[in-house]
Amino acid sequence: MPRKAARREQLLVHLAQTLFPADRTYTEPEVNEALRTVHEDCSALRRYLITSGLLTRTRDGRSYRRSTTTL
């Protein structure tokens, strides 16, 4: 992951747009599988995407969606 916030944000936006079409809901295993194609630490990438607001998840953590308001 890039250390500079601006570069990291660019990468996260790119990942969200290319790995997660906005028209569907994903399970955590599906999110992990998609993120593992990019980096082995899928949990860290998932956290970054959630924290940046690019992915949203339900309170119980069972489903994820790409946020359409931030892209």
Side-chain angles (χ1 to χ4, degrees), residues 14-33:
H14 174 73
L15 291 177
Q17 289 175 335
T18 57
L19 296 176
F20 305 105
D23 59 344
R24 64 170 288 217
T25 301
Y26 300 88
T27 64
E28 186 170 316
E30 289 174 319
V31 171
N32 291 343
E33 183 179 331

Side-chain angles (χ1 to χ4, degrees), residues 6-56:
R7 297 217 31 134
R8 183 174 47 243
E9 188 66 22
Q10 287 176 335
L11 174 63
L12 293 172
V13 167
H14 174 73
L15 291 177
Q17 289 175 335
T18 57
L19 296 176
F20 305 105
D23 59 344
R24 64 170 288 217
T25 301
Y26 300 88
T27 64
E28 186 170 316
E30 289 174 319
V31 171
N32 291 343
E33 183 179 331
L35 292 174
R36 274 193 196 102
T37 65
V38 179
H39 194 275
E40 63 187 36
D41 191 357
C42 61
S43 59
L45 285 177
R46 191 178 65 242
R47 257 190 316 276
Y48 280 125
L49 287 165
I50 295 293
T51 302
S52 67
L54 296 168
L55 280 184
T56 60

